[in-house]
Amino acid sequence: MTEAAELPEAPAVAREVFGERFPDAVRYAELLADAGVRRGLIGPREVPRLWERHLLNCAVLSEVVAEGVSVCDVGSGAGLPGIPLALVRPDLDITLLEPLLRRTTFLTEVVEMLGLDHVTVVRGRAEEVLGKLPPVHVVTARAVAPLERLAGWGVPLLRPYGEMLALKGDTAEEEVKAASSALSKLGAVRTSVVQVGEGVVDPLSTVVRVEVGESPGGVRFATKKAKAARARRRR
């Protein structure tokens, strides 16, 4: 049996979640089950649970994303949560940030194939694009690293009073406690754990929400960005 043949039929709720973009969601699931597995972007064991654990689990993140904002999906990988979020929220301006070439190649193919004109693929690490990409309202991420490290990458990319939304698992509360000091130094003013996806996914998707004040990334990053701005003006 091939990996693609193992992809289950989309659950009925997927039609409600993705609406008119449901056919595109199906195509994306097929791409993940086929090219995604062949290129090592997802494991073959994930194929049978692509809808519940991946596409729908990520799409419901839209419940806590404000209307019309800019989003940077850090460590986007195979496009999770960025692509499902883009399918359900055409009002968002989304950047998929990913350092590995084989992944950005796949992401570019998906974006072009699905006609996601509001999505841009950027190859690079968060620390490399700091100051090169415009600050965003929202940074998203999905279990690419422990919260403290993830915040160190993502929070500096935010504009003042923005927020980072990290999809996490059962250890979310523990990670928030362990990272509290680091988050404070990064300019976080409020951190909470929320659950989304009622009536769509079971268990619910757990999101760590990190809200920042006027200095995303903290004093060190504010000083660094100010120095970089002065250097650009002198050129």
Side-chain angles (χ1 to χ4, degrees):
M1 184 178 294
T2 64
E3 290 87 348
E6 297 172 6
L7 179 65
E9 184 178 350
V13 71
R15 292 182 178 274
E16 301 175 21
V17 171
F18 290 101
E20 63 181 21
R21 298 306 297 260
F22 173 70
D24 292 321
V26 172
R27 184 66 183 126
Y28 177 52
E30 292 171 345
L31 288 168
L32 287 175
D34 184 10
V37 172
R38 286 190 286 103
R39 299 185 193 183
L41 304 182
I42 66 167
R45 293 183 179 179
E46 295 303 310
V47 173
R49 50 188 183 181
L50 269 177
W51 283 104
E52 288 80 4
R53 181 166 177 150
H54 298 286
L55 274 76
L56 291 170
N57 179 272
C58 290
V60 296
L61 183 64
S62 65
E63 294 178 20
V64 286
V65 179
E67 186 175 350
V69 299
S70 55
V71 178
C72 182
D73 188 28
V74 174
S76 194
L80 301 164
I83 296 294
L85 185 62
L87 287 171
V88 298
R89 293 291 300 276
D91 59 297
L92 303 176
D93 179 10
I94 299 178
T95 298
L96 306 179
L97 181 62
E98 169 56 48
L100 296 184
L101 178 59
R102 62 186 171 89
R103 293 176 179 170
T104 54
T105 299
F106 176 79
L107 292 173
T108 300
E109 292 171 359
V110 171
V111 167
E112 292 177 353
M113 187 175 297
L114 302 185
L116 297 174
D117 298 334
H118 58 305
V119 178
T120 303
V121 178
V122 174
R123 185 185 176 195
R125 300 182 184 279
E127 57 270 31
E128 296 169 347
V129 302
L130 184 64
K132 299 177 182 178
L133 291 180
V136 296
H137 297 91
V138 177
V139 163
T140 59
R142 187 179 188 232
V144 295
L147 181 60
E148 181 175 338
R149 197 187 318 162
L150 186 58
W153 299 333
V155 167
L157 299 176
L158 291 169
R159 58 187 293 167
Y161 307 103
E163 60 183 7
M164 183 180 77
L165 301 172
L167 279 163
K168 285 289 184 178
D170 296 337
T171 63
E173 294 283 1
E174 289 78 2
E175 286 196 51
V176 167
K177 292 177 182 177
S180 60
S181 177
L183 292 174
S184 179
K185 291 177 181 178
L186 285 167
V189 295
R190 187 179 299 105
T191 304
S192 56
V193 177
V194 297
Q195 291 190 309
V196 295
E198 183 72 40
V200 178
V201 290
D202 184 18
L204 299 178
S205 297
T206 300
V207 181
V208 174
R209 189 176 210 158
V210 180
E211 301 169 69
V212 300
E214 62 182 15
S215 299
V219 175
R220 182 165 64 90
F221 282 99
T223 302
K224 182 179 178 180
K225 284 188 279 190
K227 287 182 178 179
R230 287 197 296 271
R232 286 195 296 271
R233 288 196 295 268
R234 287 196 293 267
R235 292 192 188 117

